């Protein structure tokens, strides 16, 4: 599971920082999460192939999370993209994007599908044989969702010694990996647990930005491998959180601790601060495993 941070700062883009956008690679799938201004430039800087992006997830309709989307869609058109593109986001995302494309006479030559979200309860928005993705309803000034990306159960590991001992042919290996028992020619049934080892636990990634402190998300993100949680402010500016519906680094760490996640990644920093290290220092007073997102930074889990 690989996470590439394209941008992770709040509000407006600057010459040295970019608004929210990131790429998650999980089970050989690539997902773009949020698409602030400059996303396509950051994709190029980080050498991420445009053609691999087939699914884009937009958390909410604040500009620092989606103003780069119409530009990216248009660039796909200029690159003669043929592959379908799916966009998941709040109701209204289709209207605002199609209006811009229509007025600029920039209709795509590929199929563009919008999956508009309205539910205030967690729901499955994408599923295939490898990955399942659910919304995480967040508490912000406009309708907002985070997203939980989960691997489906991994294949079991073959116990080669046991398989060879029973003289089982290789054509049955895939069946065994998926949990199947094997019936030998003499009629004996060899249970799967005698032919395999348990797989490694499935990994998951929870993306939560933007939101006020909200413990109602805990059951959804519980035991996640990695939690990305917004940390717009430091504790010294906690008085701003309720008005802006954002969090402090300490509040993000509290959510991570209560959800029993393995790793916390902080982001969405206000640019009023001189160093993002202060966010890590504050969060570590509550939760030990803290990483700092920063533009261009990559993490492998």
């Amino acid at each position: 599971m690989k996470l590439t941070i394209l941008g992770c700062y709040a509000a407006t883009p600057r010459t040295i920082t970019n608004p929210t956008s990131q790429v998650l690679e999980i089970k050989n799938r690539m997902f773009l999460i949020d698409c602030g201004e400059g996303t396509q430039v950051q994709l190029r800087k980080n050498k991420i192939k445009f053609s691999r992006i087939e699914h884009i997830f937009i958390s909410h309709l604040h500009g620092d999370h989606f103003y780069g989307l119409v530009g990216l869609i248009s660039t796909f058109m200029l690159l003669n993209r043929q592959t379908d593109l799916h966009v998941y986001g709040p109701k209204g995302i289709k209207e605002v994007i199609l209006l811009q494309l229509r007025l600029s006479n920039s209709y795509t030559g590929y199929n563009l599908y919008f999956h508009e979200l309205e539910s205030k309860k967690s729901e499955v928005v994408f599923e295939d044989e490898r990955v399942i993705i659910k919304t995480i309803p967040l508490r912000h000034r406009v309708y907002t969702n985070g997203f939980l990306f989960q691997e489906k159960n991994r294949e079991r590991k073959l116990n080669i010694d046991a398989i060879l001992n029973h003289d089982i042919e290789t054509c049955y290996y895939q069946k065994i990996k998926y949990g199947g028992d094997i019936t030998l020619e003499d009629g004996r049934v060899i249970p799967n647990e005698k032919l395999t080892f348990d797989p490694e636990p499935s990994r998951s990634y929870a993306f939560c930005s933007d939101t006020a402190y909200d413990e109602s998300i805990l059951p959804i993100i519980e035991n996640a491998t990695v939690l990305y949680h917004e940390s717009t402010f430091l504790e010294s500016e906690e008085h701003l959180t309720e008005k802006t519906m954002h969090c402090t680094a300490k509040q993000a760490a509290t959510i991570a601790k209560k959800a029993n996640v393995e790793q916390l990644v902080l982001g969405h920093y206000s640019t009023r601060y001189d160093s993002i290290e202060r966010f890590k220092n504050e969060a570590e007073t509550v939760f030990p495993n803290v990483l700092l997102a920063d533009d261009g930074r990559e993490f492998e889990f």
Side-chain angles (χ1 to χ4, degrees):
M1 188 166 68
K2 179 179 178 181
L3 178 67
T4 302
I5 305 296
L6 305 178
C8 63
Y9 289 81
T12 60
R14 302 187 298 168
T15 57
I16 56 173
T17 61
N18 292 275
T20 301
S21 186
Q22 52 187 248
V23 171
L24 178 69
E25 296 180 63
I26 181 170
K27 297 286 280 188
N28 294 318
R29 300 285 191 264
M30 177 179 283
F31 303 106
L32 178 64
I33 310 170
D34 276 346
C35 192
E37 288 181 69
T39 291
Q40 59 180 309
V41 175
Q42 289 296 97
L43 286 169
R44 293 187 187 279
K45 282 185 177 180
N46 289 275
K47 297 180 171 56
I48 295 171
K49 291 183 178 180
F50 286 18
S51 60
R52 290 195 62 196
I53 298 173
E54 298 180 4
H55 301 271
I56 301 175
F57 295 83
I58 302 296
S59 62
H60 64 295
L61 297 182
H62 277 165
D64 55 334
H65 293 260
F66 89 102
Y67 277 175
L69 181 57
V70 71
L72 182 61
I73 288 172
S74 297
T75 294
F76 285 158
M77 177 189 65
L78 294 173
L79 295 175
N80 199 31
R81 179 189 180 102
Q82 300 298 316
T83 308
D84 296 350
L85 180 67
H86 295 261
V87 177
Y88 305 78
K91 184 175 177 58
I93 187 73
K94 179 178 180 179
E95 179 183 359
V96 70
I97 295 300
L98 291 186
L99 175 64
Q100 293 175 87
L101 293 176
R102 178 172 62 83
L103 293 180
S104 62
N105 195 26
S106 300
Y107 291 110
T108 64
Y110 55 89
N111 293 323
L112 179 59
Y113 297 100
F114 291 92
H115 306 265
E116 294 195 307
L117 309 175
E118 297 182 80
S119 177
K120 294 184 179 180
K121 295 182 179 180
S122 180
E123 60 180 339
V124 174
V125 293
F126 173 88
E127 183 174 8
D128 66 9
E129 70 278 6
R130 299 182 185 182
V131 179
I132 184 169
I133 303 171
K134 303 174 183 177
T135 57
I136 307 170
L138 301 176
R139 191 163 68 92
H140 195 42
R141 301 193 307 277
V142 297
Y143 176 76
T144 305
N145 285 300
F147 299 98
L148 178 66
F149 300 79
Q150 297 174 291
E151 291 181 331
K152 289 196 170 179
N153 290 335
R154 295 185 176 186
E155 297 176 352
R156 298 184 63 79
K157 296 180 180 179
L158 297 179
N159 182 340
I160 296 299
D161 290 340
I163 289 172
L164 293 177
N165 185 53
H166 290 289
D167 198 25
I168 297 171
E169 297 182 16
T170 57
C171 62
Y172 294 106
Y173 284 9
Q174 199 65 22
K175 177 183 178 181
I176 297 171
K177 284 182 181 180
Y178 281 99
D181 299 333
I182 295 297
T183 302
L184 302 180
E185 290 185 2
D186 61 9
R188 286 182 297 148
V189 176
I190 310 298
N192 186 269
E193 58 265 25
K194 293 187 179 298
L195 300 173
T196 61
F197 302 110
D198 290 338
E200 294 180 10
S202 296
R203 295 167 295 184
S204 59
Y205 175 70
F207 170 83
C208 294
S209 183
D210 301 2
T211 185
Y213 181 83
D214 185 6
E215 293 188 2
S216 70
I217 69 173
L218 295 178
I220 304 172
I221 67 173
E222 187 176 16
N223 299 322
T225 309
V226 183
L227 167 65
Y228 174 94
H229 198 288
E230 78 123 279
S231 54
T232 305
F233 300 112
L234 295 176
E235 194 173 11
S236 55
E237 279 69 49
E238 185 180 358
H239 61 282
L240 297 176
T241 57
E242 194 60 32
K243 176 183 177 181
T244 61
M245 304 293 277
H246 285 297
C247 277
T248 66
K250 188 173 182 179
Q251 288 174 332
T254 301
I255 290 292
K257 181 179 180 179
K258 290 188 174 185
N260 193 38
V261 304
E262 294 181 22
Q263 187 75 59
L264 171 64
V265 179
L266 297 178
H268 202 265
Y269 319 110
S270 168
T271 54
R272 71 183 63 208
Y273 303 107
D274 56 358
S275 171
I276 62 174
E277 288 294 329
R278 297 170 63 186
F279 291 85
K280 187 173 190 288
N281 294 337
E282 181 174 297
E284 285 180 335
T285 64
V286 175
F287 184 80
N289 302 323
V290 180
L291 296 171
L292 290 174
D294 205 358
D295 296 1
R297 190 165 290 178
E298 295 181 351
F299 304 103
E300 293 202 25
F301 305 100

